[in-house]
Amino acid sequence: MSEQRQEFENALENIESKVIELFAMVGEDLPSATRALLSCDGEALTPLLERDREVEELVNRAILLQAPVASDLRFLLSALRIVPELERSHDLVVHIAARANRLFTGDLSARASGLVEAMGALASTMWRTAADAWYQRDRSAAQALVERDEEMDDLHASLIAELASGQMSVPVTMEMTLAARDYERLGAHAVNIARRVVYLAGSGAIPNPGPTTE
């Protein structure tokens, strides 16, 4: 193996490790954001903002292109698509935690709290599945995540209905409507990533990645 090729192989390994690190940051911080939201803990936002800066630094260093061969190009194209999804997903996690600053204990109905907890748990499960799919190059995860995303849609609809019942104040209802959307988008990003893994694993085409979500 030439010295130039060895350097490139090292670069590919470095990109892979950074992508896995980004997955870990989203997966680890999502439960913390849900706990902060449900406990109205505004203090939890500070460490998440620090982590968000780490995410941005990782994204800025993640992609290096050097005359790749076909198999390398498949990996690099996948990373180019997935890394922005990871960055946007961590932004959503931070948004969820930030809403805790505008809520107080007792603002949410018991049903709304339960639905938020369920959405947070489901989003965490979906992200673990997406991370495992990338690490294992598991093409089967995409369909499983589509089915879980339908569960997320059902939870989202239930929470919106609860918020529309008028049991909570208008400001709380607005904040929680936005939080519900954040969880829904986290699920959509997990699905998009799993679909990219189908391409990475060698299926040839990317199956209907759907519209980009923020």
Side-chain angles (χ1 to χ4, degrees), residues 14-93:
N14 188 45
I15 292 171
E16 173 78 1
S17 67
K18 291 186 187 308
V19 170
I20 291 173
E21 189 172 351
L22 287 168
F23 269 113
M25 285 185 171
V26 176
E28 291 170 6
D29 291 347
L30 179 50
S32 299
T34 299
R35 287 194 297 271
L37 181 63
L38 290 173
S39 63
C40 306
D41 179 11
E43 298 298 321
L45 179 60
T46 300
L48 289 181
L49 287 173
E50 293 173 358
R51 291 268 280 185
D52 204 44
R53 284 190 286 271
E54 292 179 39
V55 169
E56 290 179 6
E57 291 173 4
L58 280 171
V59 169
N60 290 336
R61 298 198 306 265
I63 307 303
L64 305 171
L65 297 174
Q66 301 180 31
V69 298
S71 60
D72 299 332
L73 184 59
R74 184 180 293 274
F75 168 75
L76 289 167
L77 285 173
S78 299
L80 279 166
R81 302 301 189 275
I82 284 175
V83 166
E85 299 253 18
L86 290 163
E87 183 180 21
R88 286 193 292 268
S89 295
H90 198 269
D91 287 342
L92 291 171
V93 170

Side-chain angles (χ1 to χ4, degrees), residues 157-188:
S158 296
L159 180 55
I160 294 301
E162 176 66 14
L163 294 172
S165 68
Q167 297 184 51
M168 289 156 277
S169 68
V170 171
V172 170
T173 297
M174 292 176 63
E175 289 296 333
M176 294 310 300
T177 298
L178 293 173
R181 184 184 62 179
D182 291 340
Y183 282 116
E184 185 182 36
R185 287 178 171 177
L186 279 164

